[in-house]
Amino acid sequence: MCGRFALTATADQTAAFLGVGELQDFPARYNIAPTQPILMALAAPPRPPGSNLPDREALLVRWGLIPAWVKETRGFPLLFNARSEEAAGKASFRTAMRHRRALVPASGFYEWQQSGAAKGQAYWIRPRHGGLVAFAALMETYAESGGSEMDTGALLTTAANPAIANIHHRMPVVIEEKDFGRWLDCRHQEPRDVADLLKPAQPDFFEAIPVSSLVNKVANTGPEVQERFEAPPEPKQKAPSTKAPEDTQMSLF
C-alpha cells in the first residue's frame, strides 16, 4: 500500500516533469497523508486546431476516492489506494479506470516494516538517482447532496519488487515518463491496453532509507521526517554469574 508520500520539487520542476502548463508556487510537502489535497495530471480536453496549449492539465484533488454512485459518504471507507490487479473490474474504480486515469508526482513515499501488531520501522523510499517519480492514479468527481462537487483520487498499487518486499508486500505503480501519454489517453487506450504498465518498478529503481517515527504523525511536516535514523543497539544482557552466592545471613560468631 502507499499511505504517505512527499513532493519536495518546485512548481516549475513539477510542471516540466508532468508536461502541464504553469503551476502556482507551492511549498515542499514532506508528509502527505490521505484526505489531504494532492496534485494530479490528467489528459486535457481536445484542443482546437493550432492550439499551443499542453495536452495535459493539472488539478488538486482530495486523496481518497469517492465513487460517483455513493449516496452517503459517512461511513464509506477511505479509498486512498486501489489494487491495480482488480481496478478495471471493481465497482469503486471501474469508471475512473476507463475514463480518468491520472499521474501523481512525488519525490518518494514512506512505508513501514511491520513488527508484530504495531507499526515497525519506517522507511523513506525514493528514486535512487533522485528527481521525481509519477505514480499511477485514478480520479473521480463526486457530486455532494448540496450540489457542490469534489474531485477525489486514489493511487494504484502493485506487488512489491524484491528490493521493497522485505519492507512491505505492496508498492505504488510507477509510470515511466515515456509512457505518460499512453497511460493518460483514455479516449483511445482502454484499461486492457495499458495493463502492461501496471507492474512493479525495477528492483534498482528505489532506495529505502530508515527514518524515525516522526513520520508517523501527520502533524510532523518538516524535512526532519526524512532524516536517516539508526536505531540504537540493544543493551547487552549480563551473562549469568558462575560465582557461588555469598552467605549474607547475619551471625553472632
Side-chain angles (χ1 to χ4, degrees), residues 4 29-34 36 112 213-225:
R4 299 283 178 84
R29 301 176 66 194
Y30 293 92
N31 195 6
I32 303 171
Q36 294 180 353
W112 284 261
S213 60
L214 283 174
V215 72
N216 294 8
K217 293 185 179 180
V218 177
N220 295 328
T221 58
E224 64 275 5
V225 302

Side-chain angles (χ1 to χ4, degrees), residues 238-249:
K238 286 186 177 181
S241 174
T242 57
K243 186 178 178 181
E246 295 182 1
D247 186 357
T248 58
Q249 183 177 352

